[in-house]
Amino acid sequence: GRTLIEIIDSLRPSPRAMDMPLRMTVSDVFKTQGVGSCIAGRIEAGVLSPAASIAFRPGDVTALVKSVERHGKRVKQARAGDSVTVALSGSDLENIRVGFVMCDIERPIPVVTTFLAQILTFDMPVPITNGFQAVMYLQSVNEPVTLTKLLCTVKKSTGEVLKKKPRALLSASAAVVQVEAQRPVCLELFTDYKNLGRFTLREGGVSIAAGTVMKIVS
């Protein structure tokens, strides 16, 4: 029979993911002799081919794809679900960082500071109140955030509103909150791109909540 790795590799994302605009979170940035600037990451959506013009956000860097490698072999096209190494040419490549998102130049990923999210709290030493500060982990990025509004608590199973404007969120609560990041971050609605719309909140080195992006505010 097939190995577990082969089975996992054969689990393709939905055809819809390949029809969507290109999204790939940068997990590594490096230079190689003879090839030059390269990045590595997993394509979350869309397709990628050599000679494509692409953008990186946040940062608004543009580049040209010189070559695409999958499993160490050059390919003419990579698509959603593939982990790839991409050789680039361009003038601002030294400004590309781990955590940037490579995206379609015509339909780039939103760069966001404020958004609404549904969160599920874990065991927490103290309740979450308005103004609560934490670190958001999203793909390769960790960014300080503030929960600026507690909008409502909801039923975990249905999303039905239980209480509007709660004063605090206790352990094992589901709620809709407004989140504000210190710096602009790249994210998507969970309903459009699951991996780019899902995050964890940590405080004092402990995971206190998991969340999904519902609406982009600004």
Side-chain angles (χ1 to χ4, degrees):
R2 296 187 299 168
T3 66
L4 180 62
I5 299 295
E6 286 168 343
I7 292 166
I8 290 169
D9 275 350
S10 71
L11 297 175
R12 309 296 308 178
S14 67
R16 183 167 159 260
M18 295 179 207
D19 295 335
M20 294 171 81
L22 175 69
R23 301 286 186 265
M24 180 181 120
T25 303
V26 177
S27 58
D28 196 11
V29 180
F30 56 96
K31 284 190 175 179
T32 61
Q33 210 168 1
V35 178
S37 296
C38 297
I39 57 162
R42 182 179 183 273
I43 300 174
E44 299 295 343
V47 295
L48 181 67
S49 304
S53 293
I54 38 116
F56 290 88
R57 299 187 92 182
D60 290 322
V61 177
T62 55
L64 191 70
V65 175
K66 290 202 297 192
S67 64
V68 181
E69 286 190 5
R70 188 178 63 218
H71 305 309
K73 292 180 182 171
R74 287 197 178 191
V75 292
K76 289 181 179 175
Q77 187 186 74
R79 52 191 183 163
D82 289 338
S83 293
V84 293
T85 300
V86 184
L88 302 168
S89 64
S91 55
D92 296 328
L93 301 182
E94 67 278 359
N95 294 325
I96 297 170
R97 305 266 180 274
V98 169
F100 275 24
V101 177
M102 180 170 78
C103 53
D104 187 306
I105 212 161
E106 301 290 333
R107 294 173 292 173
I109 189 168
V111 178
V112 177
T113 51
T114 308
F115 61 94
L116 302 187
Q118 183 168 322
I119 64 169
L120 180 63
T121 61
F122 306 145
D123 274 343
M124 301 183 296
V126 293
I128 290 175
T129 52
N130 270 341
F132 188 90
Q133 295 183 323
V135 178
M136 177 176 73
Y137 286 76
L138 174 84
Q139 295 277 63
S140 312
V141 173
N142 49 67
E143 188 64 41
V145 296
T146 304
L147 274 56
T148 50
K149 287 179 188 171
L150 308 183
L151 297 168
C152 59
T153 54
V154 296
K155 211 170 181 176
K156 289 176 206 169
S157 53
T158 62
E160 176 194 341
V161 174
L162 297 175
K163 185 179 180 182
K164 289 187 176 178
K165 295 185 178 175
R167 287 176 61 184
L169 302 178
L170 305 175
S171 297
S173 302
V176 177
V177 298
Q178 181 168 290
V179 182
E180 201 167 293
Q182 272 189 16
R183 294 178 302 179
V185 292
C186 291
L187 50 75
E188 293 275 9
L189 300 183
F190 178 72
T191 48
D192 293 338
Y193 297 85
K194 286 188 168 40
N195 287 344
L196 296 168
R198 184 166 33 203
F199 61 89
T200 307
L201 294 176
R202 291 171 71 89
E203 202 269 329
V206 177
S207 294
I208 56 162
T212 56
V213 179
M214 297 173 68
K215 182 183 177 184
I216 290 166
V217 177
S218 65

